[in-house]
Amino acid sequence: MTQSRARALLLTPAGLWYAAMLLLPLAVVLIFSFGERSAIGGYAPGFTFEQYANLPARFAAFRNTLTLAPVGTLAALLIAYPLAYFLAVKVSPKWKTMLLVLVIVPFWTSILIRSYAWIFLLGGKGIPALLEVIGLDDVRLLNTPFAVLVGIVYGYLPLMVFPIYVALEKLDKRLLEAAADLGTPPWRAFLQITLPLSMPGVLTGSMLVFILLMGEFLIPAILGGGKVFFVGNALVDLFLQSRNWAFGSAVAVALVVVMLITVGIYTRLVKRFGASRDDVGLM
Amino acid sequence: MKNDNTPISRKAFMEELRRYQKGSVTRRHFLGVTGLGTAAAVMGGAMPGLLPSRARAQDIGDRVVLATWPNYHDAANFDAFTDETGAYTQVNVFGSNEEMLAKIQAGGSGWDVFVPTNYAIPTYVEADLIEPLDLSKIPNFDPASFDPRFADAGTIDGVVYGVPKNWGTTGIAFNSDKTGGVVDSWKAFFDGARDAWDGRVMVHDYQLTTIGNALVYHGFSFNSVDPEELAQAEKLLIDVKPHLYAISSDYQPAMRNGDAWLTMCWTGDGKQMNTDMPEIGFALGKEGGEIWSDYYAIPKDAPHKEAAYALINYLLSPEVNAKEALAHGYPVADSRTNALLPEELLNDPIIYPAAEALSPLEFGAAVTLTDPNRAELMARFKSA
Amino acid sequence: MTDATTTHVPAPEAVAEFVGATKRFGDVLAADRIDLRIRRGEFLSFLGPSGCGKTTALRMLAGFESPTEGEVLIDGRDVSAVPAHKRPVNMVFQHYALFPHMTVAQNVGYGLRQRRPRLPKREIELKVAKALATVRLADFGPRRIWEMSGGQQQRVALARAIVNEPKILLLDEPMAALDAKLRGEMQRELLELQRSLGITFVLVTHDQEEALAMSDRICIMGKGRIAQVGTPQELYDRPRSRYVADFVGKANIVSGQITGRQGGLAQAVLGNGVKVVLRDEPGDDRTTTEIAVRPEALGLAARDSAVPAGTAVVPARVTHRTFLGDHTEYLLAADGLGQMQVNVPRQAERALGGHDVGALVHVLWPEGTGLVLAVDD
């Protein structure tokens, strides 16, 4: 057997896997997106750009998604970073494992159940009732974009915390001593050393959360009371309610394109911050 | 499943959750993946491994899969069915006919029995997805004892595709403590939503009823697909949207805890809430609205057809059907069953409204199920 | 503790001073009452095994640790409470601790950029260029840290520290990560640098050769305390304790009985009855003591060869012989004294002949060889 044949043989399982798990479904979606909705719903074969021409009909869904996804990512980042920093830098090793587990534990439960808990918290008998005690009457939290934001931040926090935690944990503490030695007060050392060197973690976490948020539909449906409409909700409705598979496929393709663009931007950012190669941190 | 009539506040969280999954979220295929779908399966009363040995005279297999609506059965009946036949009932609940159709259309649903609403049946027949019923296997179905208004839609071109399960209406549930009285018109419903009840009103996450009732507000047919009339309904809905509490078919929790004061509501939900909290009333819109009837039917590709017939037949026996009605609060069109129901239930204006209240109501039309314009209208409304 | 200060009055020639500086980490006593003056412009090494307190001493000087008790002074000012970023000292870290997200030039200029009020950009550039030139990395400014070899990284770390013109340059095992050949080169470069800059260097090392080769003075530490401070020669010739004698070079330690003292010499009887004449420690009046004698101070001769006058002989048998080029190392079983080591220079061995393993020989102990150890430990 020649070397190249052996190579091809070795790559076959991975290739098949890609074909079956990634390319095949995508191809189906792509083909559907050029088709039509049959009279009673579902898919009718065809070749038309009509579905793509219809995309502006879901502009609002894309707009909502592309607004709340970055805002949610940023909010998750702002909450996750201090938490990750606390866990990685400040907590004594004795408590670290336990606190890390506590961050993960909610993840063992379905996001549905956890979001449902927020319905109680944000509903009239929850936080608003407490606010009433201090004189803030008639505060509506549930079924607002704010509630969706809370759900997003809550649901995706661990995904943000862990990459940042790992980046901070890996950070050589001697670099901070070196900075201090060279005349940098601690807060400035954080900005100049800790923050830039944890950027790979920040970017990884942000990307994870952002990509997942782009496809999110459960949290807006549950905590947004159906009034906050993401692309994910549009897809669910198109496939399960109006059964317009062709248009649904076109929306899905558009979503994939938007995600690809996002990942592209991300990759460029990583290359810029990629200057910090891991091995040097330990030198 | 709501079957014990205890107030929601006293229910355990998981119980709460189980009922929650019947609402907007349930309709997500996602549910099955999250594992919560299994909670519904548990409702069937038992897992196969937990069942006692079942040496039965009549072998119909060990399971039957039922696709049905939220809060629509008495779980004890499924247990009894299992005891009687050895087949346990796996129950999947759905939020809309559209979703059920999508699942069956996609193929391989694995369902044996499903519960389409009157207006969905023609589409199933047209798409050749529904099995003509062999009535000899459903001896408990006695056409003569059924009110034809709620049985006719199961028969198309002389072929029986569905046997009637329950009927009901889509009306208005209101918390009279907050609304100060009965709300019995869609005019009051939609106008109040933008005024005194700002932020307290819920509409279904369902195009048929939400668009239909908005059409009725303007005096149009509940079933209209006329672009001009739909445009007016859309204008109303988009105008109302910022003032709504939620767009969700899972309105019971919010109504019960007082966050929502009014909602579009199906008969059984209205009865259930009214039973637990008398201040929550149920009224039909006097301009009109929906009346509907649900049917037991068998998909063409049902894997356990014998079990499907056995289950339908079992559920249609008047004794069982009466127990069902007591649990879910939906009216039955079977006079044999009604004869077994307590007097106060039969006189309950929520369950059996007066004839004049019913007269302006319309049965949903098949065209609404498949009309693309209504679907797009709903999407614009939700994303506005 | 020859160099210990007993007063808090700062010594003018001292650029830094430890006054009874003690550091505890919980129950661990990392530094125990350290008293030491570091002279302006000197090259001082802290030498000792790991855990001896040398790094703690350095870190107290840098400001990463503050003494639990006592004081640390820099330029006569108590800096015990002054944080690291406000001290006029800079450190070359053990693994360099270079900032991986900055270029070489950015690393070197880092300290300058921290000055407030800010230095002009041009001035920073000039200083960085000069510092890079000083460490012979003139063209490497734009490089990334990971593109640099270990030796180059070390020089970047050096440039990053000296560019700030610190009062004291602290070096924490700077050569530990370099291979032996590079280490020799770097040692010479460091020395030249120290001379040309005139900055006080304080080095921490566990490598006695490195300390001996580079230091003006060495502070030997053990168990958190200073064992002895002195020039390399003093430490080698006049170790005050077995610990120091062992740590600096090799030493035969034998016990003996002092029988008389006169004019800096002491007569002693070794454990096996051999009488020797040693250098004495002034002011010592003990009669039982330990005696240190360097392997190269002793000689070897065949049992039958003549012994020079005044030279004591210890009968012994050769157990190991290791040829090491410039000298041969003999391990011997000495009668009544246990194992001894004698190093015979190549030249002497060529002239007088070597000794095979198993040969019975005399260890020659010339008069005035060996030292009474002042401190028992």
Side-chain angles (χ1 to χ4, degrees), chain C residues 255-274:
Chain C
S255 52
Q257 203 75 27
I258 306 292
T259 54
R261 312 183 112 104
Q262 194 181 10
L265 294 177
Q267 289 89 44
V269 181
L270 303 181
N272 62 353
V274 173

mmCIF file with all atom_site columns, all heavy atoms in Angstrom, chain C residues 255-274:
data_model
loop_
_atom_site.group_PDB
_atom_site.id
_atom_site.type_symbol
_atom_site.label_atom_id
_atom_site.label_alt_id
_atom_site.label_comp_id
_atom_site.label_asym_id
_atom_site.label_entity_id
_atom_site.label_seq_id
_atom_site.pdbx_PDB_ins_code
_atom_site.Cartn_x
_atom_site.Cartn_y
_atom_site.Cartn_z
_atom_site.occupancy
_atom_site.B_iso_or_equiv
_atom_site.pdbx_formal_charge
_atom_site.auth_seq_id
_atom_site.auth_comp_id
_atom_site.auth_asym_id
_atom_site.auth_atom_id
_atom_site.pdbx_PDB_model_num
ATOM 1   N N   . SER C 1 255 ? 37.911 15.470 63.761 1.00 0.00 ? 255 SER C N   1
ATOM 2   C CA  . SER C 1 255 ? 37.880 16.069 65.094 1.00 0.00 ? 255 SER C CA  1
ATOM 3   C C   . SER C 1 255 ? 39.241 15.898 65.768 1.00 0.00 ? 255 SER C C   1
ATOM 4   O O   . SER C 1 255 ? 40.002 14.994 65.437 1.00 0.00 ? 255 SER C O   1
ATOM 5   C CB  . SER C 1 255 ? 36.774 15.432 65.929 1.00 0.00 ? 255 SER C CB  1
ATOM 6   O OG  . SER C 1 255 ? 36.903 14.041 65.905 1.00 0.00 ? 255 SER C OG  1
ATOM 7   N N   . GLY C 1 256 ? 39.517 16.825 66.665 1.00 0.00 ? 256 GLY C N   1
ATOM 8   C CA  . GLY C 1 256 ? 40.834 16.785 67.326 1.00 0.00 ? 256 GLY C CA  1
ATOM 9   C C   . GLY C 1 256 ? 40.781 17.456 68.677 1.00 0.00 ? 256 GLY C C   1
ATOM 10  O O   . GLY C 1 256 ? 39.789 18.071 69.062 1.00 0.00 ? 256 GLY C O   1
ATOM 11  N N   . GLN C 1 257 ? 41.907 17.317 69.360 1.00 0.00 ? 257 GLN C N   1
ATOM 12  C CA  . GLN C 1 257 ? 42.059 17.858 70.710 1.00 0.00 ? 257 GLN C CA  1
ATOM 13  C C   . GLN C 1 257 ? 43.151 18.914 70.642 1.00 0.00 ? 257 GLN C C   1
ATOM 14  O O   . GLN C 1 257 ? 44.264 18.625 70.210 1.00 0.00 ? 257 GLN C O   1
ATOM 15  C CB  . GLN C 1 257 ? 42.490 16.707 71.636 1.00 0.00 ? 257 GLN C CB  1
ATOM 16  C CG  . GLN C 1 257 ? 42.196 16.910 73.085 1.00 0.00 ? 257 GLN C CG  1
ATOM 17  C CD  . GLN C 1 257 ? 40.699 16.720 73.408 1.00 0.00 ? 257 GLN C CD  1
ATOM 18  O OE1 . GLN C 1 257 ? 40.003 15.995 72.707 1.00 0.00 ? 257 GLN C OE1 1
ATOM 19  N NE2 . GLN C 1 257 ? 40.245 17.381 74.447 1.00 0.00 ? 257 GLN C NE2 1
ATOM 20  N N   . ILE C 1 258 ? 42.800 20.170 71.032 1.00 0.00 ? 258 ILE C N   1
ATOM 21  C CA  . ILE C 1 258 ? 43.825 21.228 71.000 1.00 0.00 ? 258 ILE C CA  1
ATOM 22  C C   . ILE C 1 258 ? 44.732 21.048 72.229 1.00 0.00 ? 258 ILE C C   1
ATOM 23  O O   . ILE C 1 258 ? 44.261 20.945 73.357 1.00 0.00 ? 258 ILE C O   1
ATOM 24  C CB  . ILE C 1 258 ? 43.170 22.616 71.052 1.00 0.00 ? 258 ILE C CB  1
ATOM 25  C CG1 . ILE C 1 258 ? 42.116 22.767 69.933 1.00 0.00 ? 258 ILE C CG1 1
ATOM 26  C CG2 . ILE C 1 258 ? 44.219 23.723 70.974 1.00 0.00 ? 258 ILE C CG2 1
ATOM 27  C CD1 . ILE C 1 258 ? 42.668 22.806 68.541 1.00 0.00 ? 258 ILE C CD1 1
ATOM 28  N N   . THR C 1 259 ? 45.997 21.032 71.957 1.00 0.00 ? 259 THR C N   1
ATOM 29  C CA  . THR C 1 259 ? 46.931 20.849 73.075 1.00 0.00 ? 259 THR C CA  1
ATOM 30  C C   . THR C 1 259 ? 47.715 22.111 73.360 1.00 0.00 ? 259 THR C C   1
ATOM 31  O O   . THR C 1 259 ? 48.306 22.273 74.419 1.00 0.00 ? 259 THR C O   1
ATOM 32  C CB  . THR C 1 259 ? 47.913 19.703 72.787 1.00 0.00 ? 259 THR C CB  1
ATOM 33  O OG1 . THR C 1 259 ? 48.538 19.972 71.511 1.00 0.00 ? 259 THR C OG1 1
ATOM 34  C CG2 . THR C 1 259 ? 47.185 18.381 72.700 1.00 0.00 ? 259 THR C CG2 1
ATOM 35  N N   . GLY C 1 260 ? 47.733 23.044 72.441 1.00 0.00 ? 260 GLY C N   1
ATOM 36  C CA  . GLY C 1 260 ? 48.446 24.287 72.704 1.00 0.00 ? 260 GLY C CA  1
ATOM 37  C C   . GLY C 1 260 ? 48.159 25.294 71.611 1.00 0.00 ? 260 GLY C C   1
ATOM 38  O O   . GLY C 1 260 ? 47.775 24.932 70.507 1.00 0.00 ? 260 GLY C O   1
ATOM 39  N N   . ARG C 1 261 ? 48.262 26.593 71.966 1.00 0.00 ? 261 ARG C N   1
ATOM 40  C CA  . ARG C 1 261 ? 47.996 27.626 70.983 1.00 0.00 ? 261 ARG C CA  1
ATOM 41  C C   . ARG C 1 261 ? 49.086 28.666 71.089 1.00 0.00 ? 261 ARG C C   1
ATOM 42  O O   . ARG C 1 261 ? 49.512 29.041 72.174 1.00 0.00 ? 261 ARG C O   1
ATOM 43  C CB  . ARG C 1 261 ? 46.658 28.315 71.266 1.00 0.00 ? 261 ARG C CB  1
ATOM 44  C CG  . ARG C 1 261 ? 45.495 27.379 71.533 1.00 0.00 ? 261 ARG C CG  1
ATOM 45  C CD  . ARG C 1 261 ? 44.232 28.208 71.714 1.00 0.00 ? 261 ARG C CD  1
ATOM 46  N NE  . ARG C 1 261 ? 43.303 27.983 70.617 1.00 0.00 ? 261 ARG C NE  1
ATOM 47  C CZ  . ARG C 1 261 ? 42.196 27.226 70.716 1.00 0.00 ? 261 ARG C CZ  1
ATOM 48  N NH1 . ARG C 1 261 ? 41.890 26.646 71.844 1.00 0.00 ? 261 ARG C NH1 1
ATOM 49  N NH2 . ARG C 1 261 ? 41.415 27.076 69.679 1.00 0.00 ? 261 ARG C NH2 1
ATOM 50  N N   . GLN C 1 262 ? 49.495 29.167 69.945 1.00 0.00 ? 262 GLN C N   1
ATOM 51  C CA  . GLN C 1 262 ? 50.575 30.162 69.962 1.00 0.00 ? 262 GLN C CA  1
ATOM 52  C C   . GLN C 1 262 ? 50.653 30.813 68.599 1.00 0.00 ? 262 GLN C C   1
ATOM 53  O O   . GLN C 1 262 ? 50.704 30.127 67.568 1.00 0.00 ? 262 GLN C O   1
ATOM 54  C CB  . GLN C 1 262 ? 51.910 29.474 70.275 1.00 0.00 ? 262 GLN C CB  1
ATOM 55  C CG  . GLN C 1 262 ? 52.989 30.470 70.649 1.00 0.00 ? 262 GLN C CG  1
ATOM 56  C CD  . GLN C 1 262 ? 54.310 29.759 70.929 1.00 0.00 ? 262 GLN C CD  1
ATOM 57  O OE1 . GLN C 1 262 ? 54.456 28.567 70.674 1.00 0.00 ? 262 GLN C OE1 1
ATOM 58  N NE2 . GLN C 1 262 ? 55.279 30.471 71.463 1.00 0.00 ? 262 GLN C NE2 1
ATOM 59  N N   . GLY C 1 263 ? 50.612 32.156 68.613 1.00 0.00 ? 263 GLY C N   1
ATOM 60  C CA  . GLY C 1 263 ? 50.882 32.929 67.385 1.00 0.00 ? 263 GLY C CA  1
ATOM 61  C C   . GLY C 1 263 ? 50.043 32.516 66.209 1.00 0.00 ? 263 GLY C C   1
ATOM 62  O O   . GLY C 1 263 ? 50.578 32.334 65.113 1.00 0.00 ? 263 GLY C O   1
ATOM 63  N N   . GLY C 1 264 ? 48.766 32.334 66.477 1.00 0.00 ? 264 GLY C N   1
ATOM 64  C CA  . GLY C 1 264 ? 47.871 32.022 65.354 1.00 0.00 ? 264 GLY C CA  1
ATOM 65  C C   . GLY C 1 264 ? 47.945 30.579 64.930 1.00 0.00 ? 264 GLY C C   1
ATOM 66  O O   . GLY C 1 264 ? 47.292 30.179 63.975 1.00 0.00 ? 264 GLY C O   1
ATOM 67  N N   . LEU C 1 265 ? 48.729 29.833 65.587 1.00 0.00 ? 265 LEU C N   1
ATOM 68  C CA  . LEU C 1 265 ? 48.785 28.400 65.283 1.00 0.00 ? 265 LEU C CA  1
ATOM 69  C C   . LEU C 1 265 ? 48.285 27.609 66.483 1.00 0.00 ? 265 LEU C C   1
ATOM 70  O O   . LEU C 1 265 ? 48.316 28.088 67.611 1.00 0.00 ? 265 LEU C O   1
ATOM 71  C CB  . LEU C 1 265 ? 50.211 27.961 64.938 1.00 0.00 ? 265 LEU C CB  1
ATOM 72  C CG  . LEU C 1 265 ? 50.805 28.557 63.638 1.00 0.00 ? 265 LEU C CG  1
ATOM 73  C CD1 . LEU C 1 265 ? 52.241 28.091 63.453 1.00 0.00 ? 265 LEU C CD1 1
ATOM 74  C CD2 . LEU C 1 265 ? 49.949 28.171 62.432 1.00 0.00 ? 265 LEU C CD2 1
ATOM 75  N N   . ALA C 1 266 ? 47.820 26.430 66.198 1.00 0.00 ? 266 ALA C N   1
ATOM 76  C CA  . ALA C 1 266 ? 47.384 25.576 67.301 1.00 0.00 ? 266 ALA C CA  1
ATOM 77  C C   . ALA C 1 266 ? 47.958 24.191 67.093 1.00 0.00 ? 266 ALA C C   1
ATOM 78  O O   . ALA C 1 266 ? 48.041 23.697 65.962 1.00 0.00 ? 266 ALA C O   1
ATOM 79  C CB  . ALA C 1 266 ? 45.847 25.517 67.336 1.00 0.00 ? 266 ALA C CB  1
ATOM 80  N N   . GLN C 1 267 ? 48.386 23.585 68.213 1.00 0.00 ? 267 GLN C N   1
ATOM 81  C CA  . GLN C 1 267 ? 48.795 22.185 68.141 1.00 0.00 ? 267 GLN C CA  1
ATOM 82  C C   . GLN C 1 267 ? 47.579 21.344 68.479 1.00 0.00 ? 267 GLN C C   1
ATOM 83  O O   . GLN C 1 267 ? 46.839 21.662 69.393 1.00 0.00 ? 267 GLN C O   1
ATOM 84  C CB  . GLN C 1 267 ? 49.923 21.861 69.143 1.00 0.00 ? 267 GLN C CB  1
ATOM 85  C CG  . GLN C 1 267 ? 51.260 22.460 68.773 1.00 0.00 ? 267 GLN C CG  1
ATOM 86  C CD  . GLN C 1 267 ? 51.433 23.856 69.351 1.00 0.00 ? 267 GLN C CD  1
ATOM 87  O OE1 . GLN C 1 267 ? 51.100 24.077 70.513 1.00 0.00 ? 267 GLN C OE1 1
ATOM 88  N NE2 . GLN C 1 267 ? 51.931 24.805 68.553 1.00 0.00 ? 267 GLN C NE2 1
ATOM 89  N N   . ALA C 1 268 ? 47.454 20.287 67.705 1.00 0.00 ? 268 ALA C N   1
ATOM 90  C CA  . ALA C 1 268 ? 46.288 19.448 67.963 1.00 0.00 ? 268 ALA C CA  1
ATOM 91  C C   . ALA C 1 268 ? 46.675 17.982 67.813 1.00 0.00 ? 268 ALA C C   1
ATOM 92  O O   . ALA C 1 268 ? 47.583 17.637 67.058 1.00 0.00 ? 268 ALA C O   1
ATOM 93  C CB  . ALA C 1 268 ? 45.166 19.793 67.004 1.00 0.00 ? 268 ALA C CB  1
ATOM 94  N N   . VAL C 1 269 ? 45.936 17.159 68.550 1.00 0.00 ? 269 VAL C N   1
ATOM 95  C CA  . VAL C 1 269 ? 46.082 15.717 68.380 1.00 0.00 ? 269 VAL C CA  1
ATOM 96  C C   . VAL C 1 269 ? 44.803 15.216 67.725 1.00 0.00 ? 269 VAL C C   1
ATOM 97  O O   . VAL C 1 269 ? 43.701 15.456 68.234 1.00 0.00 ? 269 VAL C O   1
ATOM 98  C CB  . VAL C 1 269 ? 46.287 15.024 69.741 1.00 0.00 ? 269 VAL C CB  1
ATOM 99  C CG1 . VAL C 1 269 ? 46.464 13.512 69.527 1.00 0.00 ? 269 VAL C CG1 1
ATOM 100 C CG2 . VAL C 1 269 ? 47.468 15.612 70.472 1.00 0.00 ? 269 VAL C CG2 1
ATOM 101 N N   . LEU C 1 270 ? 44.975 14.583 66.580 1.00 0.00 ? 270 LEU C N   1
ATOM 102 C CA  . LEU C 1 270 ? 43.796 14.062 65.895 1.00 0.00 ? 270 LEU C CA  1
ATOM 103 C C   . LEU C 1 270 ? 43.290 12.819 66.600 1.00 0.00 ? 270 LEU C C   1
ATOM 104 O O   . LEU C 1 270 ? 43.962 12.246 67.455 1.00 0.00 ? 270 LEU C O   1
ATOM 105 C CB  . LEU C 1 270 ? 44.138 13.729 64.434 1.00 0.00 ? 270 LEU C CB  1
ATOM 106 C CG  . LEU C 1 270 ? 44.700 14.880 63.604 1.00 0.00 ? 270 LEU C CG  1
ATOM 107 C CD1 . LEU C 1 270 ? 44.976 14.423 62.165 1.00 0.00 ? 270 LEU C CD1 1
ATOM 108 C CD2 . LEU C 1 270 ? 43.747 16.075 63.616 1.00 0.00 ? 270 LEU C CD2 1
ATOM 109 N N   . GLY C 1 271 ? 42.116 12.403 66.193 1.00 0.00 ? 271 GLY C N   1
ATOM 110 C CA  . GLY C 1 271 ? 41.470 11.253 66.804 1.00 0.00 ? 271 GLY C CA  1
ATOM 111 C C   . GLY C 1 271 ? 42.341 10.001 66.767 1.00 0.00 ? 271 GLY C C   1
ATOM 112 O O   . GLY C 1 271 ? 42.234 9.122  67.636 1.00 0.00 ? 271 GLY C O   1
ATOM 113 N N   . ASN C 1 272 ? 43.235 9.894  65.820 1.00 0.00 ? 272 ASN C N   1
ATOM 114 C CA  . ASN C 1 272 ? 44.066 8.690  65.724 1.00 0.00 ? 272 ASN C CA  1
ATOM 115 C C   . ASN C 1 272 ? 45.444 8.889  66.343 1.00 0.00 ? 272 ASN C C   1
ATOM 116 O O   . ASN C 1 272 ? 46.374 8.133  66.101 1.00 0.00 ? 272 ASN C O   1
ATOM 117 C CB  . ASN C 1 272 ? 44.185 8.259  64.262 1.00 0.00 ? 272 ASN C CB  1
ATOM 118 C CG  . ASN C 1 272 ? 44.857 9.341  63.418 1.00 0.00 ? 272 ASN C CG  1
ATOM 119 O OD1 . ASN C 1 272 ? 45.119 10.464 63.919 1.00 0.00 ? 272 ASN C OD1 1
ATOM 120 N ND2 . ASN C 1 272 ? 45.152 9.017  62.174 1.00 0.00 ? 272 ASN C ND2 1
ATOM 121 N N   . GLY C 1 273 ? 45.615 9.996  67.059 1.00 0.00 ? 273 GLY C N   1
ATOM 122 C CA  . GLY C 1 273 ? 46.869 10.221 67.765 1.00 0.00 ? 273 GLY C CA  1
ATOM 123 C C   . GLY C 1 273 ? 47.909 11.015 66.997 1.00 0.00 ? 273 GLY C C   1
ATOM 124 O O   . GLY C 1 273 ? 48.925 11.406 67.548 1.00 0.00 ? 273 GLY C O   1
ATOM 125 N N   . VAL C 1 274 ? 47.622 11.287 65.709 1.00 0.00 ? 274 VAL C N   1
ATOM 126 C CA  . VAL C 1 274 ? 48.602 12.055 64.932 1.00 0.00 ? 274 VAL C CA  1
ATOM 127 C C   . VAL C 1 274 ? 48.575 13.505 65.397 1.00 0.00 ? 274 VAL C C   1
ATOM 128 O O   . VAL C 1 274 ? 47.505 14.085 65.616 1.00 0.00 ? 274 VAL C O   1
ATOM 129 C CB  . VAL C 1 274 ? 48.269 11.954 63.430 1.00 0.00 ? 274 VAL C CB  1
ATOM 130 C CG1 . VAL C 1 274 ? 49.163 12.874 62.607 1.00 0.00 ? 274 VAL C CG1 1
ATOM 131 C CG2 . VAL C 1 274 ? 48.374 10.524 62.948 1.00 0.00 ? 274 VAL C CG2 1
#
